[in-house]
Amino acid sequence: MQLRLMFVFLLFSSLAQAQKTPTITWELVENGYQGKAQSLSTFTIINNTKQVFPASGWTIYYNFIRFVTPGEVAPGIEAGHINGHLYTLKPKAGFGGIAPGDSLKINIISVAWVTNYTDAPDGPYIVWDKEPAKGYSFAEFKVIPSTQDKQLLRNASDKKAQTTAADIYQKNSTTKDIPAEELPVIFPTPVSYEKKEGKYELGGDISISADPAFAQEADFLAAELSKVFGKPVKTGNPNIRIVKAAIKDSYTLSIDNNGILITAPNSEGAFYGIQSLRSLLPVKAKTVTLQYAQVTDAPRFPFRSFMLDVSRNFHAKAEVLRVLDVMALYKLNVFHLHMSDDEGWRIEIPGLPELTEVGGRRGHDLQELTAIQPSYGSGPDINNTTGSGFYTKADYIEILKYANARHIKVIPEVEMPGHARAAIKSMDARYAKFMKAGNATAANEYRLSDPDDKSQYRSVQEWKDNVMNVALPSTYKFLEKVVDELAAMHKEAGAPLDIIHMGGDETPAGVWEKSPVSQQLIKDNPSLKHTDDLWYYFYDKVAQIVNKRGLQLYGWEEAGMRKTKKDGQTVMIANPDFGNRNFQLDVWNNVMGWGVEDLAYRLANAGYKVVLSGVSNYYFDMAYTRDYNEPGFYWGGFVDVDKPFYFIPFDLYKNSKEDGAGNPLPASTFTGKDRLTEYGQENITGIQAALWSETVKTPAQLEYLLLPKLLGMAERAWAKDPSWTKSETLYNEAWNVFANVVGKRELPRLAVWNGGYAYRIPTAGAVVEDGKVLANVQLPGLVIRYSTDGKEPTAKSPVYTAPIAQKGIIKLKVYDSVGRSGRTVTIQN
């Protein structure tokens, strides 16, 4: 089934009131244009109004994640770049307008390639010169899907355009159906599960007794059991007991003729025992028969984290709470909230209202005094719900309390010194406001930019002004203010802050080189020799701010790196200055084939506390497969549900199978790479999955990319080191069990629990052999339905149970237990 994107907006203008407005379409012509790493694409403006589209007096703005070459792109039409991913099309002298019924094709050249619909331009709008402060979205904008190899291949070296149904069939071929009664009953896998003789029936009068230290956990369990059985939990002779005991494990769970006993040394362990009990229960029931069993359990890693980006596109509090619910169910204990970046600041900071009044909104304001510029198709309207939005102080405290009740630590991230444009522009707006009021002291108090800085740089996302100036004392006053206010909110919520993420990601080359205050700082400070040394100066100051407040410093990998020379070439090494300062790092760059696959191990061996956050396995914004219709990015590879599962934390080389383009990985990739030492193993604190939100605009899109990938990550972070690392056969056996647990136990639960989650349903694998269509599915328990009349399969179509002999067009679609489906696969037999 082809996916056609259509964005429908209204355009009001002096040109077209009460008239049909022009339509814009965009389509990719080809990748690898002129044999280079660039693409050629075409905007078409179709004037379906009854008036001439004017020859002048307008500018079209749009977002595109690929840098567009400026210049004349059609007779009399100039392409321009504003900043970041905001581009323009503007008429020049000599442009004659567009007659009614006519159209104009505008060819643009952009860097790299476009092989997925989420790569396409988004959010076009027009601004009339007579009304420069107002933008109007176009009446209709269509992205025409790519279908040809020249559109789907990145360049001439690519051998495969798309993942085919035959590819999926082959990959699924090792997955076998396992009867549900033979599957593990607790997920993630506990350290020990011993089945006993006998069964216990739960569902009559349910009563809980708990050690006073576990009262909150008992209340949580009572509320959950009330949802399952549809009646309140009573007081009286308890059949569920939660007991405190000095045991070495996280918890034990016993089920016998006396009922259910959870034993734990602390409230966290008690909570995990409760989650294991919930794993044994259906979502709704009158009574449940439980097998007698003895469970002993503890997590492998103490840090089991999920990072959600709410800056690029905002996600409302209600969806954040749903994410926390599913994290708790699968025993994740850290929620890393990426709340600030170039495109948005999302938490109210008392005393700095501009951060959310300006930095928390996106819209057409090129002065950026009321909002920052549109990004990711957010458009001109400040009231849009993806670009604009923030958590009030009360919202954030509610999130903290909700997480704390589920034994999840919330770690806010203040991105710096790069990726800080929302904060910078907010403080610029504050500066303008107070200068207008004649208060220069207040104007400069928290300023993050040097107005005399002439440095030229371009970030990965094409920003020219997104880096804090590290030589300004006001920068550090700003950071102190933000940290103090965040810590105060955590304290008020009863969830004290003990660690804070202070960014460090992707600061571009060229920053601070032509900043007078930065260069003066270098002259005045004997320890600073070069502009690059300002990085180490900055993070030393940040560490002092954080450590002075009793907090652990946490950042992205770059914060722990240092430039040096080796054989005359600039190389990055682990910075020895911070390795012994309890500095924790998220190490994301393990893109297979990029040359730094061992970076996490190098940093851990150098003394840094390392969270394994590698893009190759744990960036959930990566598309599941190489498919034009599959949402997500793919610069770091494709991440299906198997990749989080088969990751081997202490030997990632052993089970890495694909490079960043999804091609088979040469064995030579890891030649000469550092291995993890015993000392380094002690510094691996855990695993983190991340969901960046550039392509994520709705709760359904978020949940699609999150689930079921999160289940593989939860298993790897909680369960003990798998025995299957020794052979491919053992791995296939383990994958079979996992795939069956996901398809037969966890997806049916997630389909209805908590209102249901919009997890991804995979496409069917299919091949034609001996004149018959053979089909299979990634996750047993899901059902393939098919049609033979060319129509779309429905929830009432025949279920695939054997090869299909009928000739013609066969359409297959995978369905879950509540009738939701994935995309259709079409096979010609």
Side-chain angles (χ1 to χ4, degrees):
M1 178 180 66
Q2 283 192 329
L3 179 62
R4 181 176 295 273
L5 292 182
M6 183 177 293
F7 303 90
V8 181
F9 304 100
L10 292 176
L11 167 62
F12 300 99
S13 72
S14 56
L15 164 76
Q17 286 186 4
Q19 296 280 344
K20 244 182 121 181
T21 56
T23 293
I24 293 188
T25 67
W26 177 90
E27 65 179 319
L28 178 70
V29 178
E30 63 175 318
N31 293 314
Y33 179 60
Q34 295 178 334
K36 301 176 183 178
Q38 60 185 20
S39 61
L40 176 68
S41 60
T42 301
F43 281 105
T44 303
I45 302 176
I46 305 166
N47 186 5
N48 46 12
T49 76
K50 296 180 180 179
Q51 301 177 24
V52 173
F53 188 79
S56 63
W58 54 267
T59 303
I60 293 173
Y61 295 81
Y62 65 98
N63 291 131
F64 194 14
I65 62 169
R66 304 290 189 243
F67 183 78
V68 176
T69 304
E72 189 170 36
V73 289
I77 300 292
E78 186 85 15
H81 176 228
I82 300 296
N83 207 345
H85 290 152
L86 185 62
Y87 298 90
T88 59
L89 299 170
K90 191 170 185 176
K92 297 167 51 179
F95 176 63
I98 309 173
D102 205 349
S103 63
L104 172 70
K105 290 189 177 296
I106 302 171
N107 293 324
I108 61 170
I109 298 173
S110 53
V111 300
W113 40 76
V114 176
T115 65
N116 183 295
Y117 80 87
T118 51
D119 293 341
D122 201 357
Y125 64 95
I126 192 166
V127 175
W128 302 99
D129 291 0
K130 293 181 179 179
E131 200 179 359
K134 179 73 173 175
Y136 297 96
S137 295
F138 276 89
E140 191 175 350
F141 173 54
K142 298 178 183 179
V143 173
I144 298 173
S146 296
T147 57
Q148 304 173 56
D149 279 359
K150 68 178 183 178
Q151 298 170 311
L152 298 171
L153 294 168
R154 296 176 307 158
N155 49 47
S157 64
D158 265 1
K159 306 302 180 189
K160 195 172 192 63
Q162 299 275 274
T163 300
T164 65
D167 296 329
I168 296 171
Y169 184 88
Q170 179 62 34
K171 188 173 182 180
N172 294 344
S173 63
T174 59
T175 303
K176 309 302 179 186
D177 188 275
I178 300 174
E181 60 272 16
E182 297 178 16
L183 296 173
V185 292
I186 293 176
F187 182 86
T189 306
V191 171
S192 171
Y193 175 87
E194 184 180 357
K195 183 178 178 181
K196 304 281 190 177
E197 287 296 325
K199 296 191 176 183
Y200 182 78
E201 188 170 283
L202 182 67
D205 290 337
I206 302 173
S207 178
I208 301 171
S209 71
D211 187 284
F214 301 154
Q216 178 177 285
E217 288 67 38
D219 289 344
F220 178 91
L221 176 58
E224 292 303 313
L225 291 177
S226 294
K227 295 174 188 175
V228 173
F229 295 104
K231 58 186 178 182
V233 173
K234 297 182 178 180
T235 57
N237 186 33
N239 46 14
I240 301 176
R241 292 169 294 145
I242 310 175
V243 176
K244 188 172 185 178
I247 60 174
K248 65 178 182 178
D249 300 295
S250 176
Y251 73 90
T252 63
L253 170 64
S254 301
I255 304 173
D256 57 25
N257 63 325
N258 294 315
I260 298 164
L261 173 65
I262 295 171
T263 305
N266 52 42
S267 59
E268 185 178 44
F271 186 78
Y272 295 144
I274 288 168
Q275 303 320 302
S276 289
L277 174 59
R278 291 176 70 196
S279 193
L280 299 171
L281 303 175
V283 175
K284 295 285 184 182
K286 290 185 177 180
T287 62
V288 177
T289 301
L290 299 173
Q291 180 71 46
Y292 286 0
Q294 177 69 33
V295 180
T296 302
D297 204 5
R300 181 183 185 188
F301 291 109
F303 197 97
R304 304 177 304 281
S305 177
F306 172 64
M307 188 221 80
L308 179 62
D309 166 22
V310 297
S311 176
R312 270 58 178 276
N313 281 305
F314 182 64
H315 301 293
K317 179 183 66 178
E319 184 61 18
V320 169
L321 300 185
R322 281 174 57 81
V323 169
L324 291 170
D325 283 334
V326 82
M327 287 176 63
L329 183 65
Y330 296 117
K331 303 187 178 86
L332 304 188
N333 67 341
V334 177
F335 181 53
H336 171 176
L337 186 62
H338 187 83
M339 65 90 173
S340 71
D341 211 298
D342 298 319
E343 298 86 1
W345 182 286
R346 305 303 187 183
I347 295 179
E348 178 185 14
I349 300 298
L352 296 176
E354 299 82 6
L355 285 172
T356 46
E357 290 174 357
V358 178
R361 304 198 300 174
R362 295 205 297 257
H364 182 73
D365 175 5
L366 295 184
Q367 301 301 312
E368 297 185 288
L369 296 177
T370 61
I372 55 177
Q373 71 176 51
S375 292
Y376 305 113
S378 56
D381 185 0
I382 285 176
N383 296 312
N384 74 86
T385 57
T386 57
S388 297
F390 66 93
Y391 310 117
T392 65
K393 177 182 176 181
D395 288 336
Y396 187 56
I397 289 173
E398 182 183 346
I399 289 169
L400 293 175
K401 288 181 176 180
Y402 198 87
N404 195 46
R406 288 153 180 76
H407 291 273
I408 296 171
K409 176 184 293 188
V410 178
I411 302 178
E413 179 184 350
V414 186
E415 186 62 283
M416 67 185 73
H419 281 281
R421 192 173 187 276
I424 292 167
K425 289 301 173 183
S426 296
M427 293 303 96
D428 284 350
R430 179 185 177 89
Y431 172 85
K433 178 178 69 175
F434 281 108
M435 287 301 288
K436 185 176 181 179
N439 190 343
T441 300
N444 286 290
E445 186 176 12
Y446 297 110
R447 199 159 193 203
L448 301 173
S449 59
D450 171 11
D452 298 320
D453 188 355
K454 305 301 180 186
S455 303
Q456 294 186 349
Y457 59 86
R458 209 168 80 190
S459 76
V460 174
Q461 288 79 21
E462 311 299 346
W463 296 107
K464 308 168 187 178
D465 54 359
N466 74 334
V467 182
M468 295 177 180
N469 194 296
V470 300
L472 294 173
S474 52
T475 293
Y476 302 99
K477 188 168 185 180
F478 172 86
L479 297 180
E480 289 175 329
K481 172 68 172 174
V482 169
V483 171
D484 287 343
E485 294 295 343
L486 287 170
M489 285 186 268
H490 278 252
K491 184 177 180 180
E492 185 175 338
L497 190 66
D498 60 4
I499 182 173
I500 188 167
H501 201 295
M502 302 295 271
D505 190 29
E506 294 181 330
T507 297
V511 298
W512 313 313
E513 290 180 350
K514 295 181 181 179
S515 163
V517 293
S518 296
Q519 294 307 309
Q520 188 63 47
L521 177 63
I522 295 171
K523 291 178 182 178
D524 294 344
N525 192 321
S527 66
L528 303 177
K529 307 298 183 185
H530 309 285
T531 302
D532 287 341
D533 294 340
L534 291 172
W535 177 263
Y536 323 122
Y537 170 87
F538 175 73
Y539 267 101
D540 180 65
K541 297 269 284 184
V542 170
Q544 291 177 44
I545 291 170
V546 169
N547 297 156
K548 181 180 178 181
R549 288 156 173 79
L551 307 178
Q552 183 183 5
L553 181 58
Y554 183 18
W556 294 103
E557 65 192 42
E558 291 93 332
M561 303 297 289
R562 186 180 190 95
K563 286 183 181 179
T564 188
K565 295 287 185 179
K566 182 179 180 181
D567 299 328
Q569 300 295 317
T570 299
V571 295
M572 299 293 287
I573 64 169
N575 187 349
D577 295 345
F578 296 127
N580 62 353
R581 293 170 69 171
N582 197 30
F583 195 168
Q584 180 165 291
L585 298 174
D586 286 321
V587 183
W588 64 265
N589 190 356
N590 74 332
V591 181
M592 297 297 145
W594 279 17
V596 289
E597 297 84 358
D598 60 350
L599 182 56
Y601 296 165
R602 285 195 278 138
L603 286 163
N605 292 344
Y608 287 91
K609 303 301 179 185
V610 167
V611 180
L612 299 170
S613 311
V615 58
S616 296
N617 301 81
Y618 291 118
Y619 267 30
F620 288 175
D621 53 303
M622 297 295 109
Y624 281 86
T625 60
R626 189 201 299 255
D627 188 320
Y628 178 84
N629 295 318
E630 194 66 60
F633 285 161
Y634 49 89
W635 58 266
F638 301 92
V639 178
D640 205 339
V641 64
D642 59 333
K643 280 195 176 179
F645 175 77
Y646 71 53
F647 180 73
I648 302 175
F650 291 165
D651 191 2
L652 65 88
Y653 312 140
K654 191 166 187 177
N655 216 29
S656 296
K657 302 176 182 181
E658 297 178 348
D659 65 15
N663 300 313
L665 195 65
S668 60
T669 300
F670 306 117
T671 301
K673 300 300 180 188
D674 285 12
R675 303 197 70 83
L676 190 62
T677 64
E678 289 186 8
Y679 170 71
Q681 284 190 21
E682 296 174 0
N683 288 320
I684 302 293
T685 61
I687 295 175
Q688 175 173 269
L691 181 52
W692 300 96
S693 289
E694 292 97 329
T695 66
V696 184
K697 299 181 181 180
T698 67
Q701 291 171 345
L702 189 161
E703 293 171 11
Y704 182 98
L705 288 167
L706 178 65
L707 297 165
K709 294 179 187 181
L710 189 71
L711 277 64
M713 176 266 169
E715 174 73 1
R716 198 52 52 235
W718 180 275
K720 61 186 179 182
D721 196 23
S723 60
W724 51 254
T725 60
K726 299 174 183 177
S727 77
E728 186 72 14
T729 299
L730 290 175
Y731 167 73
N732 287 335
E733 292 175 0
W735 166 255
N736 278 335
V737 172
F738 173 76
N740 277 267
V741 166
V742 171
K744 294 182 177 179
R745 291 180 53 83
E746 298 312 316
L747 292 190
R749 183 195 312 278
L750 292 171
V752 294
W753 175 67
N754 212 14
Y757 285 82
Y759 51 79
R760 178 185 186 259
I761 299 172
T763 54
V767 293
V768 177
E769 290 184 0
D770 299 325
K772 297 179 180 180
V773 175
L774 283 65
N776 59 18
V777 68
Q778 180 188 49
L779 303 172
L782 298 174
V783 173
I784 302 173
R785 294 183 181 273
Y786 69 94
S787 66
T788 57
D789 58 3
K791 296 181 181 179
E792 284 294 303
T794 71
K796 296 182 179 180
S797 295
V799 174
Y800 174 87
T801 57
I804 303 167
Q806 188 163 338
K807 304 302 180 184
I809 295 175
I810 310 297
K811 292 191 174 184
L812 307 127
K813 187 183 285 189
V814 179
Y815 281 83
D816 72 357
S817 58
V818 296
R820 283 202 314 117
S821 64
R823 294 192 305 278
T824 299
V825 171
T826 302
I827 301 294
Q828 178 70 46
N829 186 23

